[in-house]
């Protein structure tokens, strides 16, 4: 018997250790007691789900792993635009998942009733012949990819274990989930185009339909053979083999590929993105149109191998990959004439050799700054040696369009963020983008990274590394310790999350930490610069008012519900802001008013109370008058008290003057009376 | 110098024209003259005080001389009359007494008034500090040394929010 469902918003109770159910959007019941491991994604667990309005629907839910950046744009697009050949995304919501005791994204999909294609094939529940492949496999996947392409997205998770039968009869094939992890993150090396496979998993980049077409080709090989021909080959060995032989030869190897599939596989598994088959070529092939056979360009190989890092290299691309792993050794090699002689004689790469020598000379010239470092030199050389490869710097390999997820992963895992910030700050991307101008909008990249650099250079709240993190990862939840367990991705979820955090957070801590500020700056489409400026002020009162004003602005603009906990939390922090008023009477009045506003849960009202312009002006004027009055009192006191016997002397002089005056007046009166009495 | 010449000239003229008056005034106003000589202050309060009442004592006899026989004999008779001298010098004496006794009285009065004013001013300052806080002292650019009202305690200066 399943537990009673928990409403999405009622989760302040202690979470049960496992199981539990939740209701999504008051309609979809997700049963935590009924896992569906056969539908799991690498970064999301599958559970039974049902539509309370239509119990006949077959649904399942994917509960995402907290902390992994999601493809929120794709989630919204897939929900709004369901298409053929794709798992139908029915609904999504970030809600509390009892089994992990924290909030996370839950996505409801139509359940593929036939299970995973590759598993059904391996279990001999069905059979896919070479004749079935075009219509039964390629056609629906092409339809799905075409639909995704029309949405300006890429699937980036096409692989055999992510292809499902949508029906119990195992006749219709659809592509599985692709939104629960960054693009290409879960893809085994075999299903990533060579240039992207060379990057770290999180840094493989958004990619495009070109990358999906490669993954389709690799998937067809496995589905056609019923098994992965290179299953045992892993990691570096596979990359080395693919680089040397080309992906087609490396993947297909000696496997008995059906003749009818040779043509599409050659096209799809091409290592040159420009030569690779796209949707049109695949559709033409499906329609029976013969394609002009593309001559497979063999990888440029040297006559003699060059030994480096324990391997014999016959091309510069594998060397570039190896150089990034062993930088000091690579620098030694670069400065060695033997290496350049090998490049010229064996590879006929004279111009490249000269370019690399030029880089070494430049590094020698800039010995005292970062451009003279070994890491920078190797990054430049790798970019020149592998024009289609990722940015390689200090052992990290990342595509520019995968920079965001890579940064997110490193921050979440407390990894090497320093290297990524150096790529921005030292503008390592610049020469990389310049070298790839033929297939990359270098202007756009330069502008984006210049913006990132400006944010990084600014250490104020709302900027810095955190701003880069949220700007580059729209699907990343807010990493503030106060609300990290709430998995907040959308800005309108922030205030309710902070409201809940008020119940268990240190009341002396400020709810607006660097993560919250950067999250708001990145996700809130309003001009909040004045608020951020106030937030960055060193003066505590201004800082507090900046925090209150920003949160109040958020509540007002988003028309958010009252936030009683958060108002109470902030109310307790307003001491410095209240003390910014000089008048003690005003302060007492404000302190009396705050509990009333807490009961209303309104941050805008609280802000109006604290930062009333008229009240503030009145206070300033009153204070100025008070200072003036105090000064005049002090001056008068000083005059009265004088110094030493001054007052006594003053009093005596005044007495003497008075005596003289009395004497003169008396005389004048007496003389006048005597004179007139004599003459009258 | 010029003043002295003119003074002597006028005195000579008065000696010729009104010798009895000059004699009476000269001898009668002797204490006033002495007060003028010894009073070195700028305001000449003692001179005015003593001289004024001295003249008050001399004037009735001056009138007697002017409206009676204005001759040397009458002048001499007046100057040799002890009662007359007592009246003239008594006036001067009253002047001195007034000059010496009034300043302490006035000073005491002023002192009391000042104390009262000081209390009022300090109370005003205390009220200001209670309402506006100690920062007023800093902003008034007074340094706060000794100008803080003595009754003003630490508790009353505590910001309201912190209390």
């Amino acid at each position: 018997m399943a537990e009673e469902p928990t409403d999405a918003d009622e989760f302040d109770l202690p979470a049960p250790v496992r199981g539990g159910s939740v209701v999504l959007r008051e309609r979809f019941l997700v049963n935590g007691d009924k896992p569906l491991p056969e539908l799991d994604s690498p970064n999301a667990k599958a559970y039974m789900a049902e539509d309370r309005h239509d119990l006949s629907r077959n649904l399942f839910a994917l509960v995402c792993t907290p902390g992994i950046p999601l493809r929120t744009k794709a989630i919204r697009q897939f929900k709004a635009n369901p298409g053929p050949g794709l798992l139908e995304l029915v609904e999504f919501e970030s809600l509390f998942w009892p089994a992990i005791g924290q909030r996370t994204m839950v996505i409801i999909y139509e359940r593929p009733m036939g299970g995973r294609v590759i598993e059904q094939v391996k279990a001999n529940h069905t059979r896919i012949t070479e004749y079935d492949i075009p219509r039964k496999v390629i056609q629906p996947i092409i339809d799905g990819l075409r639909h995704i392409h029309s949405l300006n997205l890429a699937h980036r998770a096409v692989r055999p274990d992510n292809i499902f039968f949508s029906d119990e009869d195992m006749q219709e094939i659809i592509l599985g989930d692709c939104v629960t992890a960054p693009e290409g993150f879960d893809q085994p090396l075999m299903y990533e185009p060579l240039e992207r496979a060379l990057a770290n998993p999180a840094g493989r980049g958004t990619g495009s339909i070109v990358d999906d077409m490669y993954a389709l080709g690799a998937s067809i090989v496995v589905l056609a053979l019923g098994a992965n021909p290179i299953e045992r080959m892993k990691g570096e060995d596979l990359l080395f083999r693919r680089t040397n032989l080309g992906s087609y030869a490396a993947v297909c190897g000696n496997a008995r590929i059906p003749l009818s599939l040779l043509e599409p596989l050659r096209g799809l598994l091409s290592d040159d993105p420009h030569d690779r088959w796209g949707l049109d070529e695949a559709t033409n092939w499906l329609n029976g149109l013969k394609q002009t056979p593309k001559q497979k360009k063999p990888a440029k190989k040297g006559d003699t191998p060059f030994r480096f890092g324990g391997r014999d290299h016959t091309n510069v691309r594998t060397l570039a990959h190896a150089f990034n792993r062993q930088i000091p050794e690579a620098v030694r090699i670069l400065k060695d004439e033997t290496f350049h002689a090998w490049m010229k004689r064996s590879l006929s790469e004279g111009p490249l050799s000269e370019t690399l020598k030029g880089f070494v000379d430049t590094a020698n010239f800039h010995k005292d700054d970062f451009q003279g470092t070994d890491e920078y030199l190797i990054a430049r050389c790798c970019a020149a040696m592998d024009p289609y490869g990722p940015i390689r710097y200090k052992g990290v390999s990342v595509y520019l369009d995968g920079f965001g997820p890579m940064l997110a992963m490193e921050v979440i895992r407390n990894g090497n963020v320093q290297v990524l910030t150096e790529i921005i700050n030292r503008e390592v991307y610049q020469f990389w983008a310049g070298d790839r101008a033929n297939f990359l909008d270098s202007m756009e990249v330069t502008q984006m990274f210049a913006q990132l650099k400006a944010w990084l250079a600014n250490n104020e709240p709302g900027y810095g590394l955190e701003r880069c993190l949220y700007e580059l990862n729209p699907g990343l939840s807010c990493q503030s310790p106060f609300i990290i367990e709430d998995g907040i991705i959308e800005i309108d979820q922030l205030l309710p999350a902070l409201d809940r955090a008020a119940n268990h957070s240190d009341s002396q801590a400020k709810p607006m930490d660097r993560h919250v500020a950067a999250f708001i700056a990145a996700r809130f489409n309003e001009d909040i610069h004045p608020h951020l400026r106030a937030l960055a002020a060193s003066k505590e009162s201004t800082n507090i008012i900046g925090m209150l004003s920003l949160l109040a602005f958020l509540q007002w603009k988003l028309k958010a519900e009252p936030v009683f906990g958060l108002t109470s939390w902030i109310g307790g922090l307003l001491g410095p802001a209240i003390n910014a008023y000089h008048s003690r009477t005003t302060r007492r009045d404000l302190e009396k008013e705050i509990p009333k506003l807490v009961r209303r849960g309104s941050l805008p009202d609280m802000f109006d109370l604290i930062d009333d312009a008229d009240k503030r002006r009145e206070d300033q004027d009153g204070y100025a008058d008070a200072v003036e009055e105090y000064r005049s009192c002090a001056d008068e006191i000083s005059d009265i008290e004088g110094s030493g016997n001054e007052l006594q002397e003053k009093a005596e002089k005044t007495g003497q003057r008075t005596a003289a005056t009395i004497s003169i007046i008396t005389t004048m009166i007496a003389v006048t009376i005597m004179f007139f009495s004599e003459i009258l | 110098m010029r003043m002295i010449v003119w003074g002597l000239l006028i005195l000579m003229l008065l000696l010729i024209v009104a010798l009895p008056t000059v004699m009476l005034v000269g001898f009668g106003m002797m204490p006033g003259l002495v007060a003028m000589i010894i009073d070195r202050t700028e305001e000449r309060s003692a001179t005015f005080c003593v001289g004024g009442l001295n003249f008050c004592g001399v004037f009735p006899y001056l009138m007697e001389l002017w409206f009676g026989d204005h001759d040397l004999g009458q002048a001499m008779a007046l100057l040799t009359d002890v009662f007359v001298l007592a009246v003239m010098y008594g006036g001067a004496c009253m002047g001195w007494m007034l000059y010496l006794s009034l300043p302490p009285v006035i000073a005491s009065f002023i002192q009391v008034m000042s104390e009262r004013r000081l209390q009022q001013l300090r109370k005003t300052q205390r009220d200001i500090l209670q309402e506006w806080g100690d920062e007023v002292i800093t902003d008034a650019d007074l340094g706060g040394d000794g100008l803080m009202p003595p009754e003003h305690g630490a508790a009353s200066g505590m910001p309201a929010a912190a209390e």
Side-chain angles (χ1 to χ4, degrees):
Chain A
M1 181 78 181
E3 289 174 32
E4 277 297 300
T6 312
D7 191 90
D9 291 327
E10 294 171 2
F11 58 80
D12 285 335
L13 298 169
V17 176
R18 44 185 300 130
S21 302
V22 293
V23 177
L24 191 145
R25 305 246 187 241
E26 298 178 347
R27 177 172 174 179
F28 300 98
L29 176 74
V30 183
N31 195 333
D33 292 323
K34 291 185 179 170
L36 300 170
E38 69 275 17
L39 295 176
D40 280 352
S41 283
N43 286 294
K45 294 283 176 201
Y47 292 90
M48 184 80 92
E50 65 183 50
D51 183 352
R52 286 171 157 186
H53 295 183
D54 181 2
L55 294 174
S56 64
R57 284 180 88 176
N58 290 309
L59 304 174
F60 81 106
L62 280 179
V63 179
C64 301
T65 306
I68 304 276
L70 303 176
R71 296 176 61 186
T72 44
K73 184 185 167 195
I75 291 175
R76 284 196 205 92
Q77 290 272 40
F78 289 152
K79 190 202 161 190
N81 307 287
L86 296 173
L87 206 56
E88 187 183 339
L89 196 155
V90 179
E91 193 51 276
F92 65 93
E93 191 182 10
S94 174
L95 44 77
F96 181 76
W97 186 244
I100 52 173
Q102 69 177 80
R103 217 175 164 97
T104 188
M105 180 66 82
V106 177
I107 302 166
I108 306 284
Y109 280 111
E110 286 283 353
R111 184 172 175 180
M113 300 307 291
R116 291 184 205 274
V117 172
I118 190 70
E119 284 173 9
Q120 300 291 24
V121 170
K122 280 181 180 172
N124 287 325
H125 292 154
T126 188
R127 194 163 166 264
I128 297 177
T129 66
E130 63 179 288
Y131 306 106
D132 292 332
I133 295 264
R135 294 292 157 203
K136 202 170 173 183
V137 179
I138 300 180
Q139 181 70 60
I141 293 177
I142 288 290
D143 290 344
L145 293 180
R146 191 183 299 281
H147 177 66
I148 293 175
H149 184 53
S150 72
L151 301 175
N152 276 330
L153 296 168
H155 191 278
R156 302 288 280 115
V158 179
R159 56 181 182 270
D161 64 2
N162 199 27
I163 299 171
F164 296 87
F165 285 117
S166 64
D167 57 331
E168 286 183 41
D169 297 334
M170 294 183 261
Q171 293 302 311
E172 287 184 24
I173 276 179
I174 52 173
L175 281 171
D177 158 68
C178 64
V179 297
T180 54
E183 293 88 343
F185 183 67
D186 296 325
Q187 289 287 75
L189 288 178
M190 177 185 166
Y191 302 102
E192 278 291 278
L194 183 58
E195 66 276 10
R196 295 204 181 263
L198 290 166
N200 294 71
R204 286 173 180 167
T206 328
S208 65
I209 189 69
V210 179
D211 305 300
D212 283 338
M213 294 306 283
Y214 174 87
L216 172 62
S219 301
I220 290 171
V221 173
V222 177
L223 290 173
L225 298 174
N228 184 349
I230 51 169
E231 197 165 13
R232 289 185 198 163
M233 198 174 290
K234 300 287 180 198
E236 291 296 303
D237 291 339
L238 179 57
L239 285 178
F240 195 73
R241 187 177 154 92
R242 282 178 66 181
T243 315
N244 281 327
L245 302 177
S247 290
Y248 174 80
V251 170
C252 297
N254 298 324
R256 300 179 67 183
I257 304 291
L259 280 175
S260 59
L261 296 178
L262 285 179
E263 187 188 354
L265 289 180
R266 280 213 177 98
L268 291 169
L269 294 177
S270 168
D271 283 329
D272 185 343
H274 297 108
D275 289 345
R276 196 174 299 150
W277 272 21
L279 289 169
D280 291 339
E281 287 88 345
T283 307
N284 288 342
W285 176 77
L286 286 169
N287 292 336
L289 293 174
K290 191 87 175 157
Q291 307 289 306
T292 313
K294 283 181 179 167
Q295 290 302 313
K296 183 178 164 293
K297 290 178 199 165
K300 210 169 187 179
K301 287 175 73 174
D303 302 330
T304 51
F306 186 84
R307 187 90 184 152
F308 182 82
R311 289 182 191 274
D312 288 329
H313 298 268
T314 51
N315 66 65
V316 286
R317 209 171 181 188
T318 57
L319 261 178
H321 192 64
F323 273 11
N324 191 37
R325 306 286 168 96
Q326 298 175 57
I327 291 171
E329 182 67 10
V331 172
R332 196 186 61 75
I333 293 289
L334 274 172
K335 292 176 179 172
D336 187 351
E337 262 313 309
T338 319
F339 169 70
H340 294 283
W342 172 77
M343 282 190 76
K344 284 174 189 162
R345 286 182 201 151
S346 184
L347 295 180
S348 305
E349 290 277 17
L352 179 59
S353 168
E354 291 306 317
T355 305
L356 299 184
K357 279 182 180 173
F359 291 158
V360 173
D361 293 341
T362 309
N364 289 334
F365 183 73
H366 290 283
K367 248 180 183 167
D368 296 331
D369 62 41
F370 69 87
Q371 292 183 48
T373 60
D374 289 353
E375 291 83 3
Y376 192 84
L377 169 64
I378 292 302
R380 290 205 76 173
C381 292
C382 288
M385 289 161 75
D386 185 6
Y388 289 101
I391 294 179
R392 294 185 174 98
Y393 184 67
K394 288 191 174 180
V396 165
S397 304
V398 59
Y399 259 82
L400 283 186
D401 56 354
F403 200 85
M406 183 82 189
L407 183 64
M409 284 300 175
E410 294 301 316
V411 169
I412 290 164
R413 293 171 180 170
N414 289 323
N416 195 352
V417 180
Q418 176 75 20
V419 176
L420 297 175
T421 55
E422 276 183 21
I423 289 175
I424 299 171
N425 282 330
R426 297 184 171 181
E427 300 182 354
V428 177
Y429 61 86
Q430 280 226 340
F431 60 75
W432 195 90
D435 289 345
R436 286 146 186 81
N438 57 337
F439 67 97
L440 191 82
D441 186 347
S442 58
M443 182 66 86
E444 191 183 321
V445 167
T446 305
Q447 279 177 351
M448 182 184 84
F449 274 77
Q451 178 66 75
L452 292 177
K453 190 179 178 187
W455 282 328
L456 264 185
N458 191 338
N459 205 29
E460 293 176 355
Y463 302 93
L465 177 68
E466 293 84 358
R467 178 69 176 273
C468 299
L469 186 65
Y470 296 114
E471 289 283 355
L472 289 172
N473 294 284
L476 181 69
S477 60
C478 183
Q479 300 296 302
S480 164
F482 297 121
I483 53 173
I484 188 167
E485 293 186 351
D486 288 77
I488 300 306
I489 293 171
E490 307 290 341
I491 187 68
D492 55 1
Q493 300 165 334
L494 180 70
L495 287 179
L498 286 172
D499 194 37
R500 289 187 293 272
N503 295 330
H504 52 77
S505 298
D506 175 10
S507 61
Q508 293 306 306
K510 288 180 194 161
M512 181 74 69
D513 61 10
R514 290 188 63 84
H515 274 289
V516 173
F519 185 81
I520 295 172
R523 306 282 160 85
F524 190 41
N525 294 326
E526 298 286 342
D527 179 18
I528 59 165
H529 287 97
H531 305 272
L532 292 178
R533 268 200 301 277
L535 201 57
S538 55
K539 201 174 164 190
E540 188 68 0
S541 58
T542 314
N543 179 293
I544 296 275
I545 287 175
M547 176 183 71
L548 174 60
S549 72
L550 181 52
L551 291 174
F553 186 45
L554 211 60
Q555 190 180 17
W556 175 65
K557 268 284 172 188
L558 298 174
K559 297 182 173 61
E561 293 290 305
V563 280
F564 302 105
L566 182 59
T567 317
S568 172
W569 189 1
I570 292 177
L573 297 171
L574 287 177
I578 292 173
N579 290 347
Y581 283 98
H582 299 286
S583 166
R584 269 44 178 179
T585 310
T586 309
R587 289 182 186 182
R588 279 190 291 275
D589 290 346
L590 290 175
E591 281 165 358
K592 269 187 215 157
E593 280 296 312
I594 285 174
K596 292 179 195 166
L597 295 179
V598 167
R599 286 194 286 278
R600 290 218 292 263
S602 169
L603 292 171
D605 286 354
M606 186 173 273
F607 175 71
D608 287 344
L609 174 76
I610 295 295
D611 204 38
D612 184 326
D614 290 338
K615 202 185 288 175
R616 206 165 275 286
R617 199 177 314 112
E618 205 176 290
D619 184 72
Q620 289 293 346
D621 293 347
Y623 182 72
D625 291 346
V627 169
E628 192 49 49
E629 193 180 352
Y630 189 90
R631 187 185 291 126
S632 71
C633 285
D635 289 346
E636 198 175 336
I637 289 171
S638 185
D639 276 351
I640 291 171
E641 288 181 335
S643 60
N645 296 323
E646 200 176 319
L647 182 66
Q648 186 66 29
E649 284 172 13
K650 260 187 202 170
E652 274 187 18
K653 278 199 173 161
T654 310
Q656 288 167 354
R657 266 202 306 272
T658 311
T661 309
I662 289 170
S663 173
I664 294 297
I665 290 169
T666 308
T667 304
M668 284 172 73
I669 292 168
V671 167
T672 308
I673 291 170
M674 283 186 280
F675 181 74
F676 281 104
S677 65
E678 189 66 39
I679 60 169
L680 291 177
Chain B
M1 187 65 187
R2 213 169 170 186
M3 288 281 286
I4 295 170
V5 172
W6 273 106
L8 287 173
L9 208 62
I10 291 167
L11 184 65
M12 289 296 290
L13 195 65
L14 283 172
L15 284 172
I16 297 164
V17 176
L19 184 60
T21 299
V22 173
M23 273 180 65
L24 187 69
V25 171
F27 281 98
M29 290 297 292
M30 199 74 83
L33 193 65
V34 171
M36 192 175 80
I37 292 164
I38 63 171
D39 181 12
R40 309 308 301 167
T41 62
E42 198 178 330
E43 292 174 341
R44 300 265 175 198
S45 297
T47 310
F48 285 114
C49 193
V50 175
L53 289 183
N54 190 189
F55 186 69
C56 214
V58 172
F59 191 71
Y61 305 106
L62 200 59
M63 296 277 287
E64 198 177 317
L65 195 64
W66 286 348
F67 292 100
D69 297 327
H70 188 251
D71 54 22
L72 277 173
Q74 183 63 19
M76 283 301 293
L78 288 171
L79 287 174
T80 52
D81 187 340
V82 175
F83 180 74
V84 171
L85 285 174
V87 170
M88 289 191 293
Y89 289 179
C93 185
M94 288 288 285
W96 274 115
M97 280 170 68
L98 188 67
Y99 179 76
L100 293 174
S101 62
L102 201 58
V105 174
I106 296 286
S108 301
F109 181 73
I110 287 173
Q111 189 75 36
V112 170
M113 291 292 287
S114 298
E115 287 297 328
R116 173 91 184 124
R117 180 66 185 149
L118 276 177
Q119 278 178 4
Q120 277 181 347
L121 291 169
R122 285 196 168 122
K123 184 176 181 307
T124 306
Q125 281 191 318
R126 231 178 1 260
D127 291 345
I128 289 171
L129 292 180
Q130 265 184 356
E131 176 58 24
W132 301 100
D134 292 350
E135 60 267 31
V136 169
I137 300 170
T138 321
D139 289 345
D141 199 21
L142 299 168
D145 45 345
L147 291 167
M148 175 93 76
E151 296 87 348
H152 183 75
S156 59
M158 190 85 81
E163 282 173 356

